[in-house]
Amino acid sequence: MIAKENLREGIILGVVLSLIIGIIVVWITKPTFVSIVFILSLALLPGFFLMTIIHTLRISKETIYRPSPSEKFDWGVEVNLRRVQIMHSRYSSLIQTAGLIAIGSFFSMVYLANDFPNWATGNLIFFPISTVMFILSLHLMFRWWFSMRQDYKFLLFSKGKTIE
């Protein structure tokens, strides 16, 4: 099954870090209310990318366990291969869906930002929501991609190849 996502490490900590960055920028520049909402919403993006870099560095420092030939994947059991194929197709559909949501929310951010100096209530509400949706979908895409990569070597199996 798909593991429960730990949103505290990636998204929530990134949002808190971003809000701290945004509050510092707002405190230094002292802009109007509309600009405060715009700055705080755009400040969410660097926090997300910082948390993604930190997560990628953590993954790169993990040691990889290389099983001996006797401990390798049992290709004689078709159930294991089928399970890997099901998980691969599930993660790839989740990644595609999250990608579509990310693209849509990015374009909505651009569309809403076009009217920036003359924002109305709808812009003040929907720009932060589209920014959070963009960040959430990108975060989940990275997490699901890292999870899917763990079993890629099993999906490269081709008929006619014998494994000893």
Side-chain angles (χ1 to χ4, degrees):
M1 288 310 281
I2 296 174
K4 182 179 176 186
E5 290 296 325
N6 185 1
L7 298 179
R8 188 171 20 119
E9 278 183 20
I11 296 175
I12 296 175
L13 192 58
V15 166
V16 170
L17 180 67
S18 298
L19 287 177
I20 291 171
I21 292 169
I23 289 171
I24 291 172
V25 169
V26 166
W27 181 63
I28 291 171
T29 59
K30 297 183 180 20
T32 63
F33 178 72
V34 173
S35 297
I36 289 173
V37 172
F38 188 67
I39 289 170
L40 289 178
S41 297
L42 287 181
L44 294 176
L45 296 174
F48 161 73
F49 287 112
L50 286 174
M51 292 311 299
T52 302
I53 290 170
I54 290 171
H55 182 70
T56 306
L57 289 175
R58 268 192 226 150
I59 287 177
S60 68
K61 289 184 179 183
E62 291 178 357
T63 57
I64 298 173
Y65 172 70
R66 305 259 185 221
S68 66
S70 61
E71 297 175 340
K72 289 199 177 192
F73 193 80
D74 184 10
W75 291 108
V77 181
E78 292 181 19
V79 174
N80 289 340
L81 178 59
R82 183 68 186 142
R83 182 183 171 276
V84 171
Q85 289 173 338
I86 290 170
M87 292 305 292
H88 174 76
S89 64
R90 183 177 292 166
Y91 278 125
S92 63
S93 349
L94 287 170
I95 289 170
Q96 289 173 358
T97 305
L100 289 174
I101 292 171
I103 290 169
S105 59
F106 178 76
F107 283 129
S108 67
M109 284 171 51
V110 170
Y111 179 74
L112 291 169
N114 282 337
D115 300 332
F116 169 61
N118 303 321
W119 270 10
T121 306
N123 297 76
L124 292 173
I125 294 170
F126 290 116
F127 188 78
I129 290 173
S130 63
T131 306
V132 170
M133 284 179 58
F134 178 69
I135 291 169
L136 177 67
S137 57
L138 280 181
H139 173 79
L140 292 176
M141 280 176 58
F142 280 123
R143 288 287 176 105
W144 291 331
W145 181 68
F146 284 134
S147 297
M148 191 172 74
R149 269 185 81 228
Q150 293 173 356
D151 297 325
Y152 80 96
K153 58 187 167 294
F154 303 129
L155 295 168
L156 297 176
F157 180 72
S158 61
K159 291 183 180 179
K161 202 177 192 184
T162 57
I163 296 183
E164 299 173 23

